[in-house]
Amino acid sequence: MLKQDYYNDFFDFGQQKINFSFFELSLPDDDPVYTLKNVMEELDFSGLLACYSDKGRTGFNPIMLYAVVTYANMRGVRAVDRIVDLCQRDLAFIWLTKGQKPQRDVFYDFKGKKLTGEVLDELNYQFMRRLEKEGLITLKELYIDGTKIEANANRYTFVWRGSLNYHLASLLDTIDALYAKYNTFLLKNGYGPKYDIGDARMFVIEGMAKVRKVIEENRKRKLTKHKKLPNNTIIEIDHCSPLEILKLQKNLIQIAEGEGIGFVYGKGKHKPEIQRLYEELEECGIRLMEYKECFEIMGNDRNSYSKTDLEATFMRMKEDHMMNGQLKPAYNVQIAVENYFIIHGYVSNDRTDYNTLIPVLEKHRNAFGDTLEAVTADSGYCSEKNLLYLKENEIKSFIKLQDHEKRKTRAYKEDIGKYSNMTYAVFEDEHYYICHDGRELHHIRTESKEQDGYTQTVEVYGCADCSGCEHKSRCLYRYNAEKDSDRNKVMKINERWETLREESNANIQSEEGILKRQTRSIQTEGHFGDIKENENFRRFNYRSAEKVYKEFMLYAIGRNILKYHRFLHHEIEKYEGEKGRDNPTENSDPKKV
């Protein structure tokens, strides 16, 4: 046992600090900060420096600030206050800042105003070109996946399209009653002919008929205790509807001035009828403008938004703290990966992945030209628009079909109602199908509709007579022998869509496709495993899509440089896959990444 003197010597009275030479301390030779400095020496920071003015006092070096925030993200630190503290206490940060001590307002100004998303993308793409020269990536294939990360917004300040539609219908009924009251007021007092004012006609808002129909149906369902139907019809409130109410108010002001009727205010004063009508119209006009503003914020692509972050959409998250399927304000974060490196990042407020694939591929084209040869993604990206885009740009599709697992079942293969299980025949240039009972289904018509900026074409085939067929219950969807006894088989086939699906399905079933699905699972989902579980990045610190994107890209660039450091020190190697496996791993250990 040590003597008491050792204890007393350490806590000697009057000891305040330890005196040592700062330069005797050194960082480990394999510290990632050296890799960061090596990478930054070859980057062109002209885009970042262009955001600064050469007038006024010289502030902190923006390149140094970029190095600090990037190294902080390499260490999993995103909070500004934590970065400020590390600049004063951590040796690597002190080495980067050369002993300077930037405060929180410096970093907030840098990240919020000077550092833009375009500058971050350009710096990341410069690093990607370096990796391409060193043979770590090819930029010819991308593995794409997405995840939802909670927005920095209040979970209960929500605005729903269905609720807006419901209250708008009630408001329009009130306005309609006011229009009738207005016409009665003019007719009763003879103000119409006297001031050359015609009767008011209630304006029409497109889409309200469908909204009212759903409202009535939901009232019936409430009585029978059935689940409500969603009421998310897109309403078109044009610029005229609030102005129509304003015109009526101007007419009332004209009448009041002509008749010498003064508006009174204050407690205990009796308001004239024309003033009461004016104020009721004004209140409805204000409410209508508020609804119009809400619809404009929401746009046509969303059914909700948060009041504390207008660009965040309420989404169903895997993290459900109340265990009731609660929706939370979030962003849909997409990454495009090759050999563990995040080539592209993309942040969207779309709840699904359908509309996120093409923007990511367009970013790749704008940055690196037409170098892309193959794209691998899961079934969330499988749509006609996406597969058509890949085919038109000669990009090989390795996108899993939505019914990939269902196609393996015996029930799918034995479903006689599907056109794929019928016999396809051609006679005198006429294409038709032969059903399980031997009856022919001939082409009836072609239907077309605009879908997300492109024309979707559907071919309709039908059987002329299905009477007496004993396979109706298996062939016709929801067939009722008593009600649908005269019903005939009709099929709608999108032939272009089916061709694209079969091509993509053939690709993913090949040996190359199986290998790419293995690689996608490990690389993209491994990143998300690190992001959410290991580094607890489950919620953004900033609000608005622009700031959220910058926060994520700073984090992605930090991860890329850390991956590069691990490659240089042979801590990880390029994943070549496990050939010969029929079932690729869908959920891999994120620690392997």
Side-chain angles (χ1 to χ4, degrees):
M1 181 175 179
L2 295 177
K3 296 181 180 180
Q4 188 69 20
D5 293 342
Y6 285 93
Y7 184 86
N8 294 334
D9 289 344
F10 182 78
F11 292 100
D12 187 17
F13 180 79
Q15 178 181 351
Q16 298 296 327
K17 62 181 179 180
I18 301 174
N19 296 318
F20 57 86
S21 174
F22 175 81
F23 298 100
E24 291 179 359
L25 295 177
S26 62
L27 292 167
D29 294 336
D30 60 347
D31 193 283
V33 72
Y34 295 126
T35 304
L36 169 65
K37 192 171 186 301
N38 182 31
V39 168
M40 292 184 60
E41 286 175 351
E42 298 186 9
L43 296 181
D44 179 11
F45 286 93
S46 57
L48 175 61
L49 297 177
C51 300
Y52 283 81
S53 173
D54 56 356
K55 299 179 181 180
R57 293 188 302 170
T58 302
F60 290 95
N61 189 335
I63 299 178
M64 179 270 288
L65 295 177
Y66 175 77
V68 170
V69 296
T70 303
Y71 185 68
N73 279 276
M74 292 172 65
R75 298 263 296 265
V77 178
R78 297 179 293 117
V80 169
D81 290 339
R82 178 62 177 154
I83 295 176
V84 171
D85 184 61
L86 290 172
C87 288
Q88 300 176 11
R89 303 175 183 275
D90 190 279
L91 189 59
F93 283 88
I94 294 173
W95 183 78
L96 283 174
T97 60
K98 296 182 179 180
Q100 294 177 300
K101 299 178 180 179
Q103 299 302 308
R104 62 199 311 268
D105 57 334
V106 175
F107 287 107
Y108 278 125
D109 179 73
F110 174 74
K111 297 172 70 175
K113 299 179 181 179
K114 300 300 190 296
L115 193 63
T116 63
E118 291 77 12
V119 170
L120 280 173
D121 282 340
E122 179 56 31
L123 292 174
N124 186 48
Y125 294 153
Q126 289 183 48
F127 181 48
M128 292 300 113
R129 295 186 185 97
R130 170 175 176 161
L131 297 179
E132 182 186 17
K133 292 179 182 178
E134 296 183 9
L136 290 174
I137 59 174
T138 64
L139 299 177
K140 294 181 179 180
E141 59 181 5
L142 292 178
Y143 301 94
I144 301 176
D145 202 358
T147 190
K148 297 179 178 68
I149 298 180
E150 187 176 352
N152 182 16
N154 192 303
R155 294 170 179 169
Y156 306 103
T157 56
F158 39 72
V159 178
W160 306 103
R161 185 184 296 276
S163 179
L164 286 176
N165 288 346
Y166 178 83
H167 292 293
L168 179 60
S170 176
L171 176 61
L172 292 178
D173 291 338
T174 303
I175 295 175
D176 192 16
L178 283 177
Y179 268 53
K181 186 176 179 180
Y182 171 86
N183 291 333
T184 303
F185 175 75
L186 295 183
L187 179 63
K188 180 178 65 174
N189 297 282
Y191 291 143
K194 183 176 181 180
Y195 293 96
D196 193 21
I197 299 175
D199 290 345
R201 294 184 179 181
M202 180 62 183
F203 51 83
V204 178
I205 294 181
E206 185 179 352
M208 286 309 301
K210 185 176 180 180
V211 170
R212 294 181 186 278
K213 183 178 179 181
V214 176
I215 291 174
E216 290 300 321
E217 178 65 24
N218 284 336
R219 286 172 179 167
K220 297 177 182 177
R221 285 173 168 261
K222 185 177 181 180
L223 296 176
T224 57
K225 297 184 179 180
H226 283 79
K227 185 178 180 180
K228 283 187 176 182
L229 298 174
N231 199 351
N232 295 325
T233 304
I234 296 176
I235 301 300
E236 297 293 341
I237 299 183
D238 55 21
H239 297 287
C240 298
S241 53
L243 295 179
E244 291 295 329
I245 296 178
L246 186 60
K247 290 178 182 178
L248 301 189
Q249 292 179 263
K250 290 182 178 179
N251 292 340
L252 293 178
I253 292 293
Q254 179 185 356
I255 294 172
E257 292 176 351
E259 298 296 324
I261 303 174
F263 286 10
V264 295
Y265 301 94
K267 187 175 181 181
K269 296 184 179 180
H270 181 71
K271 297 179 181 179
E273 182 182 4
I274 190 172
Q275 182 180 356
R276 294 196 300 271
L277 181 57
Y278 177 90
E279 291 178 353
E280 289 175 354
L281 287 170
E282 184 176 25
E283 181 181 355
C284 290
I286 292 174
R287 285 182 60 193
L288 191 61
M289 287 297 295
E290 290 175 351
Y291 290 149
K292 181 176 181 295
E293 182 180 357
C294 291
F295 284 124
E296 289 177 351
I297 293 173
M298 198 175 300
N300 294 337
D301 300 325
R302 297 192 291 165
N303 291 327
S304 64
Y305 71 88
S306 171
K307 293 179 182 177
T308 47
D309 186 353
L310 301 181
E311 297 179 79
T313 304
F314 279 81
M315 306 179 186
R316 194 172 302 281
M317 311 286 288
K318 292 181 180 178
E319 302 86 9
D320 187 2
H321 70 286
M322 296 185 68
M323 303 299 291
N324 61 353
Q326 181 192 22
L327 303 179
K328 299 179 186 177
Y331 287 96
N332 188 353
V333 178
Q334 303 287 316
I335 58 173
V337 181
E338 184 187 359
N339 193 23
Y340 303 129
F341 294 100
I342 300 177
I343 312 296
H344 304 284
Y346 181 71
V347 174
S348 169
N349 54 19
D350 200 319
R351 294 179 297 115
T352 64
D353 294 332
Y354 291 115
N355 300 320
T356 61
L357 179 67
I358 295 178
V360 172
L361 301 184
E362 285 295 322
K363 289 184 67 175
H364 191 86
R365 169 184 282 183
N366 295 333
F368 307 111
D370 295 324
T371 61
L372 193 60
E373 297 178 357
V375 169
T376 307
D378 61 16
S379 58
Y381 300 85
C382 185
S383 68
E384 181 180 359
K385 182 179 180 180
N386 291 340
L387 295 184
L388 183 62
Y389 177 91
L390 294 175
K391 186 176 182 64
E392 291 176 348
N393 290 275
E394 298 181 352
I395 302 172
K396 198 169 183 180
S397 169
F398 293 93
I399 297 181
K400 190 176 180 180
L401 303 188
Q402 293 171 334
D403 57 352
H404 175 76
E405 298 299 330
K406 190 176 180 180
R407 283 172 172 241
K408 301 177 184 178
T409 62
R410 184 175 65 181
Y412 183 91
K413 297 175 182 178
E414 296 178 355
D415 188 353
I416 64 173
K418 292 186 176 296
Y419 82 95
S420 56
N421 294 328
M422 297 182 183
T423 304
Y424 181 72
V426 180
F427 179 74
E428 295 183 353
D429 297 332
E430 181 187 3
H431 302 264
Y432 61 93
Y433 291 87
I434 301 176
C435 71
H436 190 70
D437 197 53
R439 310 192 187 201
E440 298 178 354
L441 286 81
H442 292 272
H443 184 268
I444 300 176
R445 63 184 181 275
T446 300
E447 298 179 354
S448 299
K449 67 176 181 178
E450 289 294 325
Q451 185 80 13
D452 294 333
Y454 71 100
T455 303
Q456 190 178 63
T457 304
V458 176
E459 306 297 337
V460 182
Y461 292 82
C463 179
D465 184 17
C466 290
S467 58
C469 179
E470 59 183 9
H471 304 292
K472 272 190 173 185
S473 59
R474 295 174 56 198
C475 184
L476 296 180
Y477 179 66
R478 290 184 179 179
Y479 174 71
N480 189 317
E482 297 180 358
K483 298 181 180 179
D484 306 322
S485 57
D486 298 331
R487 181 180 165 192
N488 296 324
K489 176 71 173 179
V490 176
M491 300 186 304
K492 293 186 177 183
I493 306 173
N494 186 339
E495 296 180 349
R496 181 178 67 182
W497 167 227
E498 295 299 332
T499 302
L500 294 172
R501 278 163 48 91
E502 293 305 321
E503 290 177 359
S504 185
N505 187 51
N507 291 338
I508 65 174
Q509 297 290 353
S510 65
E511 183 176 351
E512 180 187 9
I514 294 174
L515 177 61
K516 287 187 179 297
R517 284 160 56 200
Q518 291 176 2
T519 307
R520 185 208 67 82
S521 298
I522 290 175
Q523 295 198 12
T524 59
E525 295 179 14
H527 271 292
F528 293 139
D530 269 343
I531 290 171
K532 287 192 169 182
E533 292 296 333
N534 297 344
E535 300 187 10
N536 200 31
F537 189 171
R538 299 176 179 272
R539 197 169 192 259
F540 288 107
N541 291 333
Y542 296 88
R543 296 178 178 179
S544 81
E546 179 187 3
K547 293 182 179 179
V548 161
Y549 176 73
K550 290 192 291 185
E551 181 181 359
F552 181 76
M553 280 309 300
L554 277 171
Y555 181 80
I557 291 172
R559 286 187 64 82
N560 284 339
I561 298 177
L562 191 59
K563 295 292 181 187
Y564 179 61
H565 172 78
R566 296 179 67 187
F567 268 105
L568 293 180
H569 291 78
H570 304 287
E571 296 179 15
I572 54 175
E573 302 292 339
K574 185 175 181 180
Y575 179 73
E576 300 293 343
E578 301 176 30
K579 297 182 180 180
R581 290 183 58 182
D582 295 331
N583 297 317
T585 303
E586 293 295 337
N587 295 310
S588 303
D589 186 1
K591 294 182 181 179
K592 292 181 180 180
V593 183

